[in-house]
Amino acid sequence: MTALVIAEHDHASIKPATLNTVTAALACGGDVHVLVAGANAAEAAKAAAQIAGVSKVIAADSASLAENLAENVAAQVLAIAGNYSHILFPSTANGKNVAPRVAAKLDVAQISDITKVDSPDTFERPIYAGNAIATVQSSDATKVITVRTTGFDAAAATGGSAAIETAEGVADSGKSSFVGREVTKSERPELTAAKIIVSGGRALGSAEKFTEVMAPLADKLNAGLGASRAAVDAGYAPNDWQVGQTGKIVAPQLYIAAGISGAIQHLAGMKDSKVIVAINKDEEAPIFSVADYGLVADLFVAVPQLVKAL
Ligand SMILES: Cc1cc2nc3c(=O)[nH]c(=O)nc-3n(C[C@H](O)[C@H](O)[C@H](O)COP(=O)(O)OP(=O)(O)OC[C@H]3O[C@@H](n4cnc5c(N)ncnc54)[C@H](O)[C@@H]3O)c2cc1C
């Protein structure tokens, strides 16, 4: 029984989501291999070989894999899929783009967004925005799984010494081509990797106020900036800052929510944070039900005071 983890990488380094996925793969009980499908990605393969618990890295290098096109990555996974009992992807935009193609081609049911491995064929996954946990047992020969990374600790990035084996890179599928990429540049940590997140809600009232009040707090704490959907919909914050059921799922060490009511769809994205601090002027706000520290206060007063005190 061997599990294959599909690495998330930028051809030079391994992205943190891969480490949590390795932990999930180890919980499946057998050996763990990592596929690094990329172009000129030797550095990423070397980094993958150092992940604790990984026994082999498969490095597939091909120009067709340079831009992470899902059709080509899926073909690369399928080329070696026969060797594996479990194929695990992080539940990121990339992972969710490739995994269903692999599952469909293998004619198996994808097991999505797992948060726990009960046994090699039984997994837990949240449903109804995290209000219930489903236990799913699969009798498929190959388990194709996406892993909710907040459900698993990160494997140590160093300490391992896996062998690196090369696999022939697949040819371009010809089904899609890379046109361009617009990447948001930010000095702040990426939300899903940030240790601290500072989030603002509808109460901020405008994009200007959002920046004026929340950015200094994020800067002081070297935190990622997040937002509720109401704040995003109102244009106070960009779409990729949204935390929640239809946004990003995060579990930082510290999550500070200011002027966020705590609707279940927001809680679904952050309630696994280690320490939650809520600032809200309504003491009945549901966010206080998940908060470790709650401050009933006007955020326009409390947040600048907090920044000053820090
Ligand atoms: C299918 C679906 C998916 C959804 N997905 C998401 C999602 O991914 N993420 C998400 O966030 N939401 C999501 N929502 C929306 C969610 O239901 C809520 O509408 C949203 O989270 C509310 O955002 P909010 O807390 O900023 O605004 P509000 O609910 O309006 O809350 C504002 C809060 O600010 C407080 N406040 C006001 N003024 C001040 C002040 N001066 N100081 C301190 N506190 C103040 C108020 O007391 C209130 O609690 C989804 C909804 C649906 C139906």
Side-chain angles (χ1 to χ4, degrees), residues 199-212:
S199 271
R202 197 199 311 263
L204 270 305
S206 68
E208 293 71 32
K209 281 282 166 199
F210 197 103
T211 308
E212 185 188 315

Side-chain angles (χ1 to χ4, degrees), residues 24-39:
L26 287 165
C28 294
D31 283 351
V32 173
H33 295 180
V34 172
L35 171 67
V36 178

Side-chain angles (χ1 to χ4, degrees), residues 202 228-229 242-246 261 265-266 280 298-299:
R202 197 199 311 263
S228 70
R229 176 159 163 181
Q242 185 178 314
V243 171
Q245 184 188 339
T246 43
S261 58
Q265 296 89 354
H266 188 80
N280 196 302
D298 182 342
L299 73 90

Side-chain angles (χ1 to χ4, degrees), residues 5-196:
V5 168
I6 313 307
E8 185 118 349
H9 64 87
D10 60 6
H11 308 279
S13 61
I14 294 293
K15 299 209 171 164
T18 311
L19 303 176
N20 309 77
T21 309
V22 165
T23 302
L26 287 165
C28 294
D31 283 351
V32 173
H33 295 180
V34 172
L35 171 67
V36 178
N40 299 318
E43 287 306 312
K46 271 190 222 159
Q50 289 178 11
I51 301 172
V54 173
S55 57
K56 192 192 281 180
V57 171
I58 320 274
D61 227 273
S62 162
S64 67
L65 299 166
E67 303 301 344
N68 241 326
L69 294 178
E71 291 82 357
N72 295 347
V73 178
Q76 189 68 61
V77 176
L78 287 163
I80 57 170
N83 303 333
Y84 296 100
S85 55
H86 297 72
I87 302 178
L88 299 97
F89 299 77
S91 194
T92 54
N94 275 329
K96 288 191 279 189
N97 203 359
V98 180
R101 298 169 198 271
V102 172
K105 287 279 191 188
L106 294 176
D107 197 19
V108 300
Q110 178 179 305
I111 306 156
S112 303
D113 224 14
I114 65 160
T115 49
K116 196 167 172 230
V117 178
D118 288 344
S119 73
D121 67 357
T122 308
F123 310 91
E124 294 184 17
R125 57 181 300 261
I127 54 173
Y128 301 121
N131 285 309
I133 303 294
T135 303
V136 183
Q137 188 167 35
S138 165
S139 53
D140 283 329
T142 312
K143 312 318 182 224
V144 175
I145 296 169
T146 62
V147 175
R148 184 177 288 203
T149 51
T150 55
F152 297 88
D153 291 337
T158 54
S161 57
I164 302 179
E165 191 174 280
T166 3
E168 199 179 335
V170 290
D172 185 21
S173 72
K175 291 188 186 132
S176 61
S177 58
F178 178 73
V179 176
R181 175 178 287 124
E182 284 173 38
V183 183
T184 323
K185 283 206 171 66
S186 170
E187 299 290 298
R188 298 207 171 83
E190 201 191 332
L191 268 190
T192 49
K195 295 205 162 47
I196 303 178

Side-chain angles (χ1 to χ4, degrees), residues 200-204 227-233 242-248 255 258-269 279-287 295-301:
R202 197 199 311 263
L204 270 305
S228 70
R229 176 159 163 181
V232 169
D233 287 351
Q242 185 178 314
V243 171
Q245 184 188 339
T246 43
K248 296 200 167 123
Y255 187 91
I260 292 180
S261 58
I264 51 165
Q265 296 89 354
H266 188 80
L267 302 187
I279 303 171
N280 196 302
K281 67 178 186 186
D282 172 12
E283 64 181 80
E284 304 285 327
I287 190 81
L295 182 61
V296 180
D298 182 342
L299 73 90
F300 294 105
V301 178

